[in-house]
Amino acid sequence: MKPATPPPSGAWPLLVRLFFAQRANLPPLAAELRLSPAQCHVLHLIEPERPIPMGQLAETLACDASNVTGLVDRLESRGLVRRRPSAGDRRVKVLVLTPTGSRLRALLLDRMTAPPAALERLSLREERALVRILRRLLE
Amino acid sequence: MKPATPPPSGAWPLLVRLFFAQRANLPPLAAELRLSPAQCHVLHLIEPERPIPMGQLAETLACDASNVTGLVDRLESRGLVRRRPSAGDRRVKVLVLTPTGSRLRALLLDRMTAPPAALERLSLREERALVRILRRLLE
DNA sequence: CAGGATGGTTGACAACCTCAAGTATTAGGC
DNA sequence: GCCTAATACTTGAGGTTGTCAACCATCCTG
């Protein structure tokens, strides 16, 4: 039997592993809030007081526009989001969080942002360094 | 109009943002290899020469066992994976990559591991620090 | 050996996702 | 001003992903 996969050496492979590990962890959290992972992603992207056009959402999600239609249909039917006509262009519909949606979004971010136990293992120095580095990665 | 969301300050919120950004980036990559995101995840988890029981896969994916059945059905029908009876326990079936599956997996990891442009912005020092920190996060 | 736990499959059903086609609106060329 | 092309979203069909409940085969324990 071969040994377990040796830890990859570069930074990006490690991030990929962290990414997949984290991916597995979203469904239970979503279920807790009666949401699907995809709905969490959408809710995460609509900031309160910052309406976003549906097309832009599709682009950010890297998915087909018709998919966004369905996702928003379900979120809207639950009263979390509202479609509003755009002032400038009557073709586009912008999405706004309802108060309920806004509260649920805050709860979601709160849950997701609760640091996992693994983070406790970092020293204060390390955590600061990580923050600085991630900031640069995200622009 | 409010300003864009201020950058979160803790390490974990930043990781969450990186996670969501990365999530949007998987579907196009998967499509390029004629795979779905979920199939990528499975392929990522089956290491060559390291057969894994289906149940363990379900646990790692944090999904129902019946879901794994379907995923493996499709991967197997494409000749990427094979079910094999386990020596010790005749209830369990372990998954092995076929040579084709192994090649596709290598290609997948290669594509995913190609560092995005953002990583180039890090200095050598920062990258080393990031690697060290991520290693600790992943155990 | 009986009864219960465990690993995997099946079937029903909902959500997710893409593609192709359709509608409404906008923008550009004449 | 019009006619055409492009854009924003919706609809419908069809496959994938995911859950749950029920099921069979195998293991394990008393």
Side-chain angles (χ1 to χ4, degrees):
Chain A
M1 176 99 82
K2 278 184 132 184
T5 296
S9 45
W12 191 246
L14 286 169
L15 277 172
V16 167
R17 280 179 49 160
L18 190 59
F19 163 61
F20 269 135
Q22 194 54 25
R23 181 182 163 86
N25 156 334
L26 181 54
L29 168 56
E32 187 186 335
L33 303 178
R34 313 268 174 193
L35 291 170
S36 72
Q39 290 171 337
C40 287
H41 201 169
V42 172
L43 221 51
H44 174 254
L45 289 176
I46 309 180
E47 302 173 12
E49 318 291 342
R50 285 219 133 219
I52 182 180
M54 297 187 61
Q56 185 177 329
L57 202 52
E59 192 178 355
T60 306
L61 291 169
C63 75
D64 195 90
S66 64
N67 191 19
V68 173
T69 297
L71 284 169
V72 170
D73 279 349
R74 285 179 284 271
L75 288 175
E76 195 171 29
S77 78
R78 283 186 47 184
L80 302 175
V81 151
R82 272 202 333 250
R83 286 167 162 99
R84 270 192 1 202
S86 170
D89 187 336
R90 275 183 304 177
R91 288 171 303 180
V92 7
K93 297 175 188 170
V94 295
L95 302 175
V96 200
L97 288 181
T98 64
T100 311
S102 196
R103 273 193 301 273
L104 190 56
R105 178 180 188 269
L107 193 56
L108 168 66
L109 294 205
D110 209 55
R111 283 271 197 290
M112 295 219 323
T113 300
L119 209 60
E120 312 270 323
R121 288 200 297 272
L122 295 187
S123 71
L124 193 55
R125 251 183 81 84
E126 286 172 322
E127 183 169 351
R128 286 221 195 92
L130 180 57
V131 167
R132 186 166 27 80
I133 293 171
L134 290 177
R135 279 239 182 78
R136 293 198 54 188
L137 282 181
L138 288 162
E139 214 92 358
Chain B
M1 174 97 80
K2 279 185 131 182
T5 296
S9 46
W12 192 246
L14 287 169
L15 277 172
V16 167
R17 281 178 49 160
L18 191 59
F19 163 62
F20 269 135
Q22 193 54 27
R23 181 182 163 85
N25 153 336
L26 181 55
L29 168 57
E32 188 187 333
L33 303 178
R34 314 271 174 190
L35 291 170
S36 72
Q39 289 171 338
C40 286
H41 201 168
V42 172
L43 221 51
H44 174 254
L45 289 176
I46 308 181
E47 303 173 11
E49 317 291 343
R50 283 218 135 220
I52 181 179
M54 298 188 63
Q56 186 177 328
L57 202 51
E59 192 177 355
T60 306
L61 292 170
C63 75
D64 195 88
S66 64
N67 191 18
V68 174
T69 297
L71 284 168
V72 170
D73 280 349
R74 285 178 284 271
L75 289 175
E76 194 172 29
S77 79
R78 282 186 47 186
L80 303 174
V81 151
R82 272 203 331 252
R83 286 168 162 99
R84 269 191 1 202
S86 169
D89 187 336
R90 274 182 305 175
R91 288 171 303 180
V92 7
K93 298 177 186 167
V94 295
L95 302 174
V96 200
L97 288 181
T98 64
T100 312
S102 195
R103 274 194 299 274
L104 189 57
R105 178 180 189 267
L107 193 56
L108 168 67
L109 294 206
D110 209 56
R111 284 269 197 289
M112 296 220 322
T113 300
L119 209 61
E120 310 271 322
R121 288 199 299 271
L122 296 186
S123 71
L124 193 55
R125 250 182 82 84
E126 285 172 322
E127 183 169 350
R128 286 224 194 89
L130 180 57
V131 167
R132 186 165 26 80
I133 293 170
L134 290 176
R135 280 240 181 79
R136 294 197 55 187
L137 281 181
L138 288 161
E139 216 87 1

